[in-house]
Amino acid sequence: MNPSRPLRTAAAPALLTATALLALTACGSSEADSGGQGAKGTVDIRIPDPGNSGVLALGKKDGSLDKALAKVGATVRWTGSAGPFAPAAQAMNADQLDIATGSITSGITSLAQRPGFKFFTAVDPDAAGEGILVKNGSGIASVKDLVGKKVAVNQGGTGEYLLLKALAKAGIPADKVERVYLRPDQTAAVFNTGKVDAWAVWATYAVAEIGGGKAHFVADGAAIGSDNYSLNAVRTGFAEQHPEIVKALYRYLHDASAKEKQDPAAYLNVFTDVGPTAVTGKAKEVQAAFTREGGTVDRIGTEDIERFEDVADFYAEQKVTTDKVDVAAHLLDIEKLK
């Protein structure tokens, strides 16, 4: 992270949090799923179901999100479930989804695919909740110890970025470490059975491993110097047709996220405190700590764009993308929407 630029002070994690479900289910093509006018002339805004934790989960349960959007004639249609950004981007491109969350890293690779969406909020990089995870007792004490090892990453997304960034900072050629491309929701078993030596990962998956006392970060986002922002994206057509709804959603997320930072426990296990979506025991403490250190859901500013461009440059240099992606062309200034 650039030490010359402090994190924003009022803060919260991204739109969708660690306990959200882990796959974006295919959206149907029926009229009910196609967006447009809802009941009594309201406008449907299609958002992935937030699962059991986070700002949207609580907003769904207590009705505060519906109340905020009703003021601008909108209602939420929960569509599919929260998960990796790549399938969400495809759903927005296919007019099956209006809002989704992803990192700038996964966003850049999706922007290279003729996108039908734009980013409208930014959350500062997660200095504490992402990094290179290793098992306790692995003997890996630094990034330099990864030479000759296998590291699990999600291709073109946060994991690959974190690993490449960590290696570059340590002066280690990328080809000295074997990247094992895996879907994040399939990696825990591989990591825990020792088929990979480390896992470049973010809080969604790291919380359970760290909370279970099985693993720790050998280098976190701060040590790596990560510029991996979390972003909210909106389908371009929706933003053009309903700018007032996008602005209302932004205001809700901005305000609610500050409240989440102050009281993280209130946003965990919103619907149930048992089962696979619940965060329990030490993991709950870990997640709450990450949330308190998180960034705000904010508008995208000039300084943010500069850091986005740095990531795009880095991806092109590392040949993750064929050419540098023009991130600035796919951003919205929430204050200028009208």
Side-chain angles (χ1 to χ4, degrees):
M1 186 174 301
N2 185 348
S4 67
R5 179 174 178 268
L7 293 178
R8 300 183 177 95
T9 53
L15 171 58
L16 304 173
T17 61
T19 55
L21 300 179
L22 303 178
L24 184 75
T25 57
C27 303
S29 58
S30 66
E31 183 177 353
D33 284 339
S34 63
Q37 295 297 315
K40 299 181 181 179
T42 58
V43 175
D44 285 341
I45 179 169
R46 296 164 296 178
I47 303 175
D49 190 279
N52 194 31
S53 294
V55 164
L56 287 185
L58 188 59
K60 177 184 179 181
K61 182 178 181 179
D62 66 13
S64 59
L65 178 60
D66 284 334
K67 183 178 179 180
L69 293 178
K71 295 177 181 179
V72 289
T75 186
V76 175
R77 182 181 296 277
W78 301 110
T79 305
S81 56
F85 184 69
Q90 293 171 359
M92 285 188 290
N93 292 344
D95 190 16
Q96 296 174 336
L97 192 65
D98 299 312
I99 300 292
T101 300
S103 63
I104 184 58
T105 48
S106 59
I108 285 173
T109 51
S110 294
L111 287 175
Q113 311 295 320
R114 299 184 63 182
F117 62 88
K118 292 188 177 182
F119 293 109
F120 69 102
T121 76
V123 179
D124 279 305
D126 189 354
E130 65 179 13
I132 312 298
L133 197 70
V134 298
K135 292 188 291 295
N136 296 343
S138 68
I140 299 173
S142 70
V143 172
K144 291 183 178 181
D145 293 331
L146 295 174
V147 172
K149 300 291 196 298
K150 296 179 179 180
V151 182
V153 302
N154 60 314
Q155 188 170 15
T158 292
E160 187 161 28
Y161 169 79
L162 290 172
L163 176 60
L164 291 173
K165 188 77 172 177
L167 295 177
K169 186 171 182 179
I172 301 168
D175 61 4
K176 296 296 183 181
V177 175
E178 181 179 348
R179 278 169 270 175
V180 179
Y181 292 123
L182 293 169
R183 273 178 32 190
D185 58 329
Q186 297 177 333
T187 306
V190 178
F191 175 71
N192 284 305
T193 55
K195 294 179 181 178
V196 295
D197 302 290
W199 183 5
V201 67
W202 59 103
T204 302
Y205 305 95
V207 164
E209 304 300 323
I210 296 172
K214 299 176 292 185
H216 64 278
F217 285 133
V218 71
D220 60 15
I224 291 169
S226 171
D227 281 323
N228 187 37
Y229 281 77
S230 177
L231 310 175
N232 287 313
V234 59
R235 184 171 59 84
T236 304
F238 188 92
E240 291 172 346
Q241 295 169 24
H242 308 293
E244 72 286 352
I245 296 175
V246 179
K247 288 193 288 186
L249 178 61
Y250 165 73
R251 287 192 295 270
Y252 180 85
L253 295 173
H254 175 75
D255 294 344
S257 65
K259 296 176 183 177
E260 184 181 22
K261 178 179 175 68
Q262 297 302 315
D263 185 14
Y267 293 79
L268 293 173
N269 302 333
V270 171
F271 292 99
T272 179
D273 57 7
V274 297
T277 65
V279 185
T280 58
K282 184 66 175 179
K284 191 172 181 179
E285 297 176 21
V286 172
Q287 180 60 63
F290 287 165
T291 299
R292 290 189 189 96
E293 295 184 48
T296 19
V297 176
D298 263 325
R299 63 179 285 270
I300 298 171
T302 302
E303 71 282 8
D304 304 315
I305 298 173
E306 291 174 356
R307 294 173 75 182
F308 297 169
E309 296 293 345
D310 286 344
V311 178
D313 283 334
F314 183 73
Y315 260 26
E317 291 167 4
Q318 296 288 328
K319 304 190 184 305
V320 177
T321 56
T322 304
D323 300 297
K324 181 183 175 181
V325 174
D326 183 4
V327 180
H330 304 285
L331 304 176
L332 294 178
D333 186 338
I334 199 71
E335 294 183 354
K336 294 181 180 179
L337 281 181
K338 57 184 177 179

